[in-house]
């Protein structure tokens, strides 16, 4: 959600959507993912400290080859982390030098050993996000008007970017469907969903349902970000 707020237009009201300084590294990382690398690229990074990006890599069409490539690169950085944690500080390889610079000379050996277990790959999303921005033009005015009528913060109107990339036909592997990615059980609280009609696939009905759900949730927990 922090990503969604930031991608909107930087105008979120502080009282509704506070942005703690501790989240800035995470927000910066996801901005990179959604604006700087495509689905043919990605980052090798630390899963806990998103400011630590070891490498930016290119991938191809073969999933098997991509998995092998990613696995090998992660292994190389894990080996570099282990070597530095064991005291190596000179005659460093490219990966070792990059690792030491990213973590800083004062990092503890224990933290480096933990980092060796936390290496992750994140696929880029900039091209998908761009396509979503284009698609959003068809639905944003309606979503904005519904949310305004119901008194919802306008920042929530861009949630479909992270739900479906504004694709009304999106269907997930776990059964979430439509622009707002409702699962059946939740959707039936606000829409008709049966073997003949599935209003989750109707962007207008689903938008009204999403607004009601968000409003209901806020009445319970009194927090728009949550």
């Amino acid at each position: 959600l922090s990503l969604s707020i930031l991608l909107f237009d930087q105008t979120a009201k502080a009282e509704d959507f506070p942005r703690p300084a501790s989240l800035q590294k995470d927000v910066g990382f996801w901005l990179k993912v959604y604006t700087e690398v495509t689905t043919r690229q990605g980052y090798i990074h630390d899963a806990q400290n998103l400011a630590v990006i070891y490498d930016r890599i290119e991938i191809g069409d073969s999933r098997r080859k991509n998995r092998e490539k990613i696995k090998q690169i992660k292994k190389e950085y894990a080996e570099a982390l282990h070597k530095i944690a064991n005291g190596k500080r000179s005659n460093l390889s490219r990966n070792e030098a990059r690792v030491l610079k990213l973590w800083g000379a004062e990092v503890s050996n224990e933290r480096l050993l933990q980092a060796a277990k936390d290496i992750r790959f994140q696929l880029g999303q900039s091209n998908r996000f761009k396509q979503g921005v284009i698609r959003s033009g068809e639905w944003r005015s309606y979503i904005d008007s519904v949310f305004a009528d119901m008194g919802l913060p306008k920042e929530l109107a861009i949630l479909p970017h992270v739900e479906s990339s504004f694709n009304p036909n999106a269907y997930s592997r776990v059964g979430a469907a439509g622009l707002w990615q409702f699962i059946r059980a939740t959707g039936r609280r606000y829409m008709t969903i049966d073997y003949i009609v599935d209003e989750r696939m109707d962007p207008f009905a689903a938008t009204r349902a999403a607004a009601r759900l968000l409003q209901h949730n806020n009445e319970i927990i009194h927090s728009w970000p949550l």
Side-chain angles (χ1 to χ4, degrees):
L1 183 56
S2 296
L3 169 67
S4 300
I5 295 167
L6 193 61
L7 290 174
F8 183 71
D9 63 2
Q10 304 283 328
T11 61
K13 292 182 291 185
E15 63 271 24
D16 283 340
F17 296 100
R19 193 187 306 161
S22 59
L23 284 181
Q24 284 303 109
K25 292 186 297 183
D26 295 356
V27 171
F29 174 79
W30 289 109
L31 274 175
K32 289 178 179 291
V33 170
Y34 276 80
T35 63
E36 296 183 8
V37 283
T38 71
T39 51
R40 301 302 293 269
Q41 303 163 318
Y43 293 121
I44 302 292
H45 68 97
D46 185 77
Q48 304 303 320
N49 183 352
L50 299 187
V52 176
I53 299 176
Y54 297 113
D55 219 337
R56 170 174 167 168
I57 67 173
E58 306 286 330
I59 60 174
D61 295 322
S62 170
R63 290 186 178 182
R64 179 182 62 80
K65 290 182 178 180
N66 289 339
R67 285 195 299 268
E68 291 175 354
K69 180 177 183 178
I70 292 167
K71 182 178 180 180
Q72 179 59 35
I73 294 175
K74 289 168 69 175
K75 179 181 177 182
E76 291 171 0
Y77 278 105
E79 290 174 350
L81 283 158
H82 276 286
K83 288 181 180 178
I84 295 172
N86 289 328
K88 186 177 182 181
R89 291 293 188 275
S90 60
N91 298 319
L92 301 179
S93 68
R94 170 184 173 275
N95 285 350
E96 292 163 357
R98 184 187 295 269
V99 165
L100 185 58
K101 182 177 180 180
L102 285 168
W103 285 104
E106 302 304 316
V107 65
S108 69
N109 292 338
E110 290 76 16
R111 184 66 187 90
L112 292 174
L113 290 174
Q114 180 60 47
K117 301 176 183 178
D118 291 336
I119 302 174
R120 181 180 180 273
F121 172 75
Q122 173 60 50
L123 184 69
Q125 297 292 318
S126 64
N127 51 326
R128 288 180 180 171
F129 178 62
K130 181 179 180 180
Q131 292 164 2
V133 170
I134 294 171
R135 281 193 296 267
S136 72
E138 188 169 358
W139 315 112
R140 275 298 303 277
S141 61
Y142 181 75
I143 295 172
D144 288 346
S145 66
V146 169
F147 279 33
D149 288 344
M150 295 185 65
L152 302 182
K154 64 180 181 178
E155 289 77 20
L156 294 176
I158 48 75
L159 275 173
H161 274 304
V162 293
E163 293 289 356
S164 66
S165 290
F166 279 90
N167 178 5
N169 299 313
Y171 206 94
S172 79
R173 289 176 292 181
V174 296
L179 199 72
W180 293 92
Q181 289 292 281
F182 275 98
I183 61 172
R184 282 181 174 270
T186 305
R188 282 176 174 147
R189 293 162 55 184
Y190 305 102
M191 295 176 283
T192 298
I193 302 174
D194 54 33
Y195 291 105
I196 299 175
V197 176
D198 189 344
E199 288 188 322
R200 295 179 299 170
M201 312 308 289
D202 179 341
F204 303 102
T207 292
R208 294 191 295 271
R212 291 174 63 191
L213 174 61
L214 290 166
Q215 188 177 60
H216 172 72
N217 289 345
N218 188 63
E219 290 171 354
I220 296 173
I221 60 179
H222 306 292
S223 170
W224 286 118
L226 290 179

